[in-house]
Amino acid sequence: MKEILDAILAPDSGAADFAALKLPESYRAVTVHKDEAEMFAGIPSRDKDPRKSLHVEQVPLPELGPGEALVAVMASSVNYNSVWTSIFEPVSTFAFLERYGRLSPLAKRHDLPYHVIGSDLAGVVLRTGPGVNKWQPGDRVVAHCLSVELESADGHNDTMLDPEQRIWGFETNFGGLAEIALVKSNQLMPKPAHLSWEEAAAPGLVNSTAYRQLVSRNGAAMKQGDNVLIWGASGGLGSYATQFALAGGATPICVVSSPQKAEICRKMGAEAIIDRTAEDYRFWRDEHTQDPREWKRLGARIRDLTGGEDVDIVFEHPGRETFGASVYVTRKGGTIVTCASTSGYTHEYDNRYLWMSLKRIVGSHFANYREAWEANRLIAKGRIHPTLSRTYTLTDTGQAAYDVHRNLHQGKVGVLALAPQEGMGVTDPELRARHLPAINRFRNA
Ligand SMILES: NC(=O)c1ccc[n+]([C@@H]2O[C@H](COP(=O)([O-])OP(=O)(O)OC[C@H]3O[C@@H](n4cnc5c(N)ncnc54)[C@H](OP(=O)(O)O)[C@@H]3O)[C@@H](O)[C@H]2O)c1
C-alpha cells in the first residue's frame, strides 16, 4: 500500500507508473459481519451502536472484472446508508448481497460473509478491466454509487429504472470506506480539481440525490421563484438541497433543530429558517394520532416567512414524523418529493388535502448516470460546495456513523482512507481560492 500512496503523492507519476504498481493481496476496509446481523435484536433503533458492529480489518482484494475499475481510495464519507447497514435496519444488507450473487458468476464475488461498506470515494484509478477505455491508471476520480447492468430496456432511458439497479457499497460489496474499492467504470467521474480528497468525497451520494429529487425533471423540477420547504436543511441531503434552491433562484424555507444549524443555513444564504425544536412542533399527539392544528401552525409560520405564500415543493425525507404536515403545507398543485423515511416508512396523511388541492407525491431515489454527472459538474465548477464539517480516520468510522445516527453532525462527515492528512489533492488552487469561505462553511460547525 505504501508504494501506491507514494505514487499518488509524487507530483510526476504517470499512467505507466500506476499500471506498473504491484497490487496488494489484501487491504484495510470497514465491514459488517454476516454472523453478527442479529446482534442488536430487541434493542430500540436509537440505541443500536454502529461502533459495535463496524469493524476495520484486512480483506482480500477482489478479482477485477470486465467494465470495472479498482480505485485507491484517498477519502470517503459516511452516509446515512452506512448507519442503516451498521444497525442492520430495515433489513440486513447481506440479503442484498445474496440476491446480487445469484445474478451471475461475476456478481457472486459480492456474496461474502463480510460487507465492505461505503458509497462515496475520491481517489486514483489503479487498474481497469477489459472493455474500459475512458479511464486509465493514475486518473484522479470520484465515484457515484449507481450500479446497474442495463441488460433490460427498462433502464435505457433513465438508468435508475434498471431492474438490477443497486447502490454500490450498500447493495453491493467492495465499497468506498476502505483503502481500495471496486466500482463499475461507469461510476467514475473526474475529481473536482479545487477540492481536497476528503472534500471531493463528501458530496457524491447526497448531492446527486438532492439534484434528482429537487432539480431534475424526474424529481420536483424546481424552477425560479419556487418556495421550497427543506427538512433537515443543514444535514446531508438538506445542505445540498438548500444550495440548489438558492443557486436556482428559488427560496428555501429551511427547517432545522438548533440555533447552530440555523446559523449555518444563514451562512449558505438562506433567510427563511424554522427551528423545529424552539418552535416545538408536535405533529403526533400519540403514536397513532396526528394533530392537524400543528400542521396548520407550521403552514402559518411558512406564510409569515414568505409574505403569505405556501410552498411549491416539500423536500421530504424524515417520513412518518413529518409527512402529514408536508402534504398539508404544500400549495395547491404543488409537489411533495420524497426519497426516504428516516423516522418510519409507514406514512399517514389526510388525502383530502392531496386530491382536492391537486398535489403530487413524487418518489425519488439516488440519481441516474447523467444526473450524477451533472451534480458532480456543478461541484467541479464551484457552483455548489461540499458541506464537510468533520473528518475521521478509517479506524474511527464507527464513531463517525454513531454521530450521524445520533444527529450530532452538520452537513457531511468525511473519512480519510489512504490520505495521510486533510487538505491534500488540490490541483486548482486558483479556483479554490475564489470559493474558500464557501468550501469551509461547514467546517467544525
Ligand atoms: N433514496 C436515496 O437515494 C437517499 C439518498 C440519501 C439519503 N437518503 C435517506 O435520507 C435520509 C436523510 O439522509 P441525510 O444524509 O440527509 O441524513 P442526515 O445528514 O442525518 O440529515 C437528515 C436531517 O433530517 C432532520 N431530521 C431527522 N429526523 C427528523 C424528524 N423526525 N423530523 C424532522 N427532521 C428530521 C435532521 O435535521 P434537524 O435535526 O436539523 O431538523 C437531520 O439533520 C436518511 O434516511 C437516508 O438514508 C436516501
Side-chain angles (χ1 to χ4, degrees):
M1 213 57 79
K2 182 170 178 318
E3 286 101 73
I4 293 176
L5 185 59
D6 287 347
I8 295 171
L9 299 182
D12 48 2
S13 305
D17 300 304
F18 281 97
L21 283 172
K22 193 170 167 320
L23 297 189
E25 285 176 5
S26 67
Y27 62 104
R28 235 156 50 98
V30 178
T31 62
V32 284
H33 291 178
K34 193 173 196 170
D35 61 4
E36 292 180 350
E38 294 300 319
M39 70 190 290
F40 297 131
I43 299 176
S45 295
R46 190 184 151 74
D47 298 331
K48 296 179 181 177
D49 188 341
R51 294 171 299 189
K52 295 192 174 137
S53 53
L54 293 179
H55 304 275
V56 180
E57 60 186 334
Q58 289 289 132
V59 296
L61 192 71
E63 182 197 331
L64 179 64
E68 294 180 341
L70 284 167
V71 181
V73 182
M74 294 299 273
S76 181
S77 85
V78 170
N79 285 296
Y80 214 94
N81 69 2
S82 298
V83 175
W84 295 123
T85 307
S86 69
I87 63 172
F88 305 101
E89 284 195 24
V91 290
S92 153
T93 48
F94 289 98
F96 303 141
L97 303 185
E98 285 165 21
R99 194 176 316 140
Y100 190 25
R102 289 195 285 274
L103 183 70
S104 69
L106 206 61
K108 182 75 186 150
R109 288 170 304 166
H110 292 257
D111 181 11
L112 293 168
Y114 60 85
H115 185 183
V116 179
I117 68 167
S119 301
D120 279 321
L121 72 73
V124 176
V125 175
L126 291 174
R127 289 281 191 285
T128 55
V132 178
N133 305 305
K134 185 177 165 61
W135 303 100
Q136 292 184 34
D139 285 345
R140 297 155 74 95
V141 293
V142 291
H144 69 66
C145 62
L146 175 57
S147 167
V148 283
E149 309 299 323
L150 297 183
E151 290 186 298
S152 154
D154 291 356
H156 287 178
N157 195 24
D158 175 1
T159 49
M160 276 305 291
L161 299 185
D162 186 55
E164 298 295 338
Q165 179 272 320
R166 291 180 172 80
I167 298 297
W168 160 72
F170 180 60
E171 293 162 294
T172 78
N173 218 322
F174 317 122
L177 284 162
E179 292 174 334
I180 296 182
L182 180 76
V183 298
K184 290 182 190 286
S185 67
N186 287 343
Q187 289 175 242
L188 297 175
M189 306 185 290
K191 172 192 167 289
H194 66 302
L195 299 180
S196 66
W197 295 110
E198 64 281 4
E199 290 162 355
L205 184 149
V206 281
N207 182 46
S208 308
T209 306
Y211 182 85
R212 180 182 177 106
Q213 190 175 350
L214 190 57
V215 179
S216 166
R217 277 176 305 205
N218 292 314
M222 183 194 80
K223 62 181 192 323
Q224 293 185 30
D226 279 352
N227 293 319
V228 185
L229 184 74
I230 301 173
W231 292 104
S234 76
L237 288 169
S239 57
Y240 294 91
T242 301
Q243 293 187 69
F244 284 130
L246 289 164
T251 302
I253 294 104
C254 295
V255 186
V256 291
S257 62
S258 70
Q260 293 76 14
K261 291 182 172 192
E263 181 53 27
I264 212 146
C265 291
R266 245 172 245 119
K267 280 199 201 160
M268 281 191 282
E271 289 170 9
I273 298 167
I274 296 174
D275 181 336
R276 68 182 171 101
T277 308
E279 297 181 23
D280 196 22
Y281 291 101
R282 293 170 192 241
F283 301 127
W284 290 82
R285 259 187 236 135
D286 58 48
E287 214 182 302
H288 307 288
T289 327
Q290 295 197 60
D291 185 348
R293 282 174 312 184
E294 287 293 271
W295 304 345
K296 288 180 187 163
R297 185 158 75 91
L298 178 68
R301 179 75 175 108
I302 291 168
R303 285 183 182 173
D304 271 356
L305 292 165
T306 58
E309 294 180 343
D310 293 329
V311 291
D312 299 273
I313 299 169
V314 180
F315 186 86
E316 246 293 337
H317 50 89
R320 182 172 176 80
E321 183 91 22
T322 54
F323 207 81
S326 293
V327 170
Y328 178 81
V329 300
T330 305
R331 78 156 172 81
K332 212 169 181 163
T335 304
I336 303 98
V337 63
T338 173
C339 78
S341 293
T342 314
S343 65
Y345 49 77
T346 310
H347 298 181
E348 279 178 31
Y349 61 90
D350 186 332
N351 201 33
R352 290 170 298 180
Y353 293 114
L354 190 87
W355 101 71
M356 293 297 286
S357 294
L358 303 104
K359 304 178 189 182
R360 298 183 311 145
I361 295 173
V362 175
S364 191
H365 184 40
F366 188 60
N368 65 29
Y369 277 176
R370 184 67 202 177
E371 289 159 345
W373 186 278
E374 299 282 0
N376 184 58
R377 178 170 164 268
L378 289 169
I379 300 277
K381 282 176 164 285
R383 304 292 288 269
I384 301 292
H385 302 288
T387 60
L388 185 70
S389 56
R390 222 182 134 179
T391 303
Y392 295 73
T393 62
L394 205 56
T395 317
D396 286 334
T397 304
Q399 183 63 45
Y402 175 89
D403 290 354
V404 173
H405 184 28
R406 286 299 178 101
N407 197 14
L408 301 172
H409 67 301
Q410 296 258 39
K412 283 303 304 280
V413 162
V415 174
L416 294 182
L418 284 172
Q421 63 193 57
E422 294 184 38
M424 304 178 80
V426 175
T427 51
D428 186 346
E430 288 81 25
L431 183 60
R432 182 180 185 77
R434 266 196 269 149
H435 296 294
L436 202 54
I439 293 168
N440 285 330
R441 229 181 245 143
F442 278 67
R443 282 287 177 164
N444 305 316

